[in-house]
Amino acid sequence: MKRLLWLLVCLVGVPLLPVRVMSAEPPAAQPGGSGCLTCHASLEDEEMSKAVPAWQQSVHKTAGIGCQDCHGGSPKSMVKEQAHDPNAGYIGIPDPTAVPEQCGKCHQVQRDNYIPSPHGTVGEFIPNCVDCHSDHKVVPADVVKISTPKRCGDCHTDDILDQFNGVITGVLTPIAQAKQAAADLRPAGVPVDHIDAGADLAREMFRQKVSHVFVFQTIVPRADSVKASLKKVDTDIRAARTEVSTRRKFGIVAAGFLVILAGFIWLYRRTLSE
Ligand code: HEC
Ligand code: HEC
Ligand code: HEC
Ligand code: HEC
Ligand code: HEC
């Protein structure tokens, strides 16, 4: 009897298993199919529908981050009261002071640097994440596009913004160039993994120590030390380029030698046949 019971449990339980595993996947995996999107896209009130087309152009859509990842709620329901159920974590429109924690669920480094920054402490969370990155149409961050008089001019002079852009691009540009150099050299067959890793390390140092701190006194020396760490990467890039050109020269010499050798063999065989 006991065995029969086990058999029954197994027969019923096993087919259920994959179903349970599948339903444990975050709904964010298919945000396109969610009830939030379908209903909100059809709402007459523009304030309530504009989030959908904006989000559709965002990096979050591409990354599978849906409405419910920021607002909570039940994305699978097409009934408003269920979709907006606070028991399913629905929070509605987040308060501006709560936004850094909201975004910080996934962007911890940026949150940890931003909260004690002057924009967090003196500015009491103005500007916050969405003032600089937008709420729904979030695109890859580019300091030149973010740090503009239109966005920052109420509180800062153009000089401050130019200085800020200079500090940030002064680090990010050489990092991007080092990554590009590694990518360009790779097909030539020289080792470039250490160059790539050096650039990634500098990028991470920048992210941890410079990004979102917003105090010149702190970030200028830190940016300098990140740039200093790139000196070694630069030396490695130069060495790799020299190796590629040495290989090329050696290749030309070797090819020339082979042609001459072939000529000799041809001559030799001709002399033999005569
Ligand atoms: C069946 C339609 C429907 C569905 C499904 C739905 N909503 Fe809404 N939502 C509305 C309507 C209508 C409003 C306008 C305010 C109201 O009537 O509550 C609204 C308002 C909102 C607001 C603004 C709240 C405010 O206080 O003004 C947010 C944020 C929101 N919805 C997010 C979501 C999210 C996230 C989901 C999915 C988890 C979702 N909605 C699913 C119909 C829907
Ligand atoms: C990355 C986080 C994030 C995602 C994803 C997101 N929202 Fe929002 N949403 C916010 C924040 C933050 C606000 C508060 C507005 C502000 O402070 O600018 C907001 C505001 C809103 C509002 C109030 C009106 C407005 O635009 O300010 C609605 C309605 C809304 N969101 C619906 C949606 C819907 C529908 C989706 C999915 C298509 C969605 N949101 C996806 C963060 C997000
Ligand atoms: C005053 C404007 C401003 C505020 C406020 C702000 N950011 Fe940024 N953010 C930027 C700029 C400029 C960049 C690009 C340069 C950089 O990475 O520091 C950026 C970059 C980013 C990146 C890309 C980082 C990377 O290393 O690729 C993320 C993610 C991000 N911000 C999230 C946030 C979050 C989350 C908040 C709130 C806690 C926030 N930002 C607040 C201006 C801002
Ligand atoms: C549920 C997790 C999650 C939440 C919440 C979230 N994001 Fe993101 N975000 C991601 C992922 C995943 C990516 C794409 C991968 C990456 O670049 O980190 C991304 C990308 C970004 C980028 C582009 C980074 C780059 O490459 O330059 C910015 C800017 C950004 N998010 C800002 C925000 C802001 C502002 C909020 C809050 C309104 C927010 N995110 C909330 C997960 C999240
Ligand atoms: C609502 C006002 C406000 C806005 C808008 C604002 N900031 Fe600030 N910011 C402040 C305050 C307040 C401080 C701290 C006091 C100071 O240094 O001016 C500060 C400090 C800074 C600092 C450090 C200055 C220093 O001398 O160390 C930088 C850099 C900065 N902000 C960049 C930006 C950028 C870039 C933007 C736009 C994307 C921006 N801020 C938008 C209020 C603002």
Side-chain angles (χ1 to χ4, degrees):
M1 186 62 202
K2 227 176 174 177
R3 252 193 227 165
L4 208 79
L5 216 88
W6 268 113
L7 197 71
L8 213 76
V9 167
C10 289
L11 277 179
V12 176
V14 167
L16 274 180
L17 242 139
V19 175
R20 279 196 61 106
V21 170
M22 269 162 67
S23 69
E25 264 179 26
Q30 336 100 28
S34 87
C36 323
L37 281 174
T38 316
C39 184
H40 272 266
S42 70
L43 293 177
E44 299 238 316
D45 180 357
E46 229 244 89
E47 267 301 298
M48 292 298 126
S49 63
K50 67 179 188 199
V52 178
W55 170 84
Q56 253 145 359
Q57 298 169 56
S58 73
V59 280
H60 286 141
K61 186 203 176 206
T62 318
I65 306 298
C67 321
Q68 70 284 358
D69 289 312
C70 291
H71 292 286
S74 293
K76 291 198 170 143
S77 174
M78 270 301 286
V79 179
K80 192 185 89 179
E81 288 66 29
Q82 279 172 11
H84 287 190
D85 185 357
N87 291 323
Y90 179 73
I91 55 159
I93 303 178
D95 187 79
T97 58
V99 165
E101 279 302 339
Q102 287 281 307
C103 310
K105 272 195 306 186
C106 302
H107 302 294
Q108 292 95 350
V109 178
Q110 289 78 21
R111 174 199 59 198
D112 291 351
N113 286 349
Y114 167 83
I115 288 177
S117 82
H119 294 148
T121 48
V122 190
E124 294 174 332
F125 301 112
I126 302 173
N128 73 26
C129 321
V130 295
D131 297 319
C132 290
H133 293 290
S134 150
D135 44 8
H136 299 123
K137 200 176 158 188
V138 176
V139 297
D142 176 352
V143 67
V144 179
K145 291 196 185 123
I146 294 175
S147 175
T148 57
K150 188 168 163 256
R151 227 191 226 96
C152 325
D154 280 351
C155 308
H156 297 299
T157 59
D158 289 2
D159 286 354
I160 295 282
L161 301 182
D162 286 346
Q163 190 187 348
F164 181 65
N165 289 357
V167 173
I168 302 299
T169 51
V171 184
L172 291 183
T173 307
I175 293 174
Q177 284 166 345
K179 296 283 289 178
Q180 189 58 48
D184 291 345
L185 284 161
R186 196 178 285 283
V190 289
V192 291
D193 284 348
H194 60 304
I195 295 172
D196 224 21
D200 286 343
L201 190 71
R203 186 71 180 78
E204 198 47 41
M205 269 166 74
F206 169 86
R207 194 173 279 134
Q208 302 271 351
K209 299 286 177 199
V210 180
S211 189
H212 296 90
V213 172
F214 303 121
V215 180
F216 283 132
Q217 231 184 346
T218 314
I219 62 175
V220 170
R222 288 180 180 179
D224 286 343
S225 80
V226 179
K227 277 190 269 184
S229 83
L230 282 169
K231 288 229 170 74
K232 164 91 176 60
V233 177
D234 267 344
T235 314
D236 291 344
I237 292 172
R238 248 176 280 126
R241 283 193 179 131
T242 312
E243 193 176 334
V244 171
S245 77
T246 313
R247 281 187 192 183
R248 261 192 212 128
K249 276 183 206 144
F250 181 77
I252 291 167
V253 172
F257 178 74
L258 283 178
V259 169
I260 293 166
L261 190 70
F264 271 120
I265 292 172
W266 181 77
L267 270 175
Y268 177 69
R269 291 183 60 177
R270 245 182 74 154
T271 347
L272 272 193
S273 64
E274 275 168 11

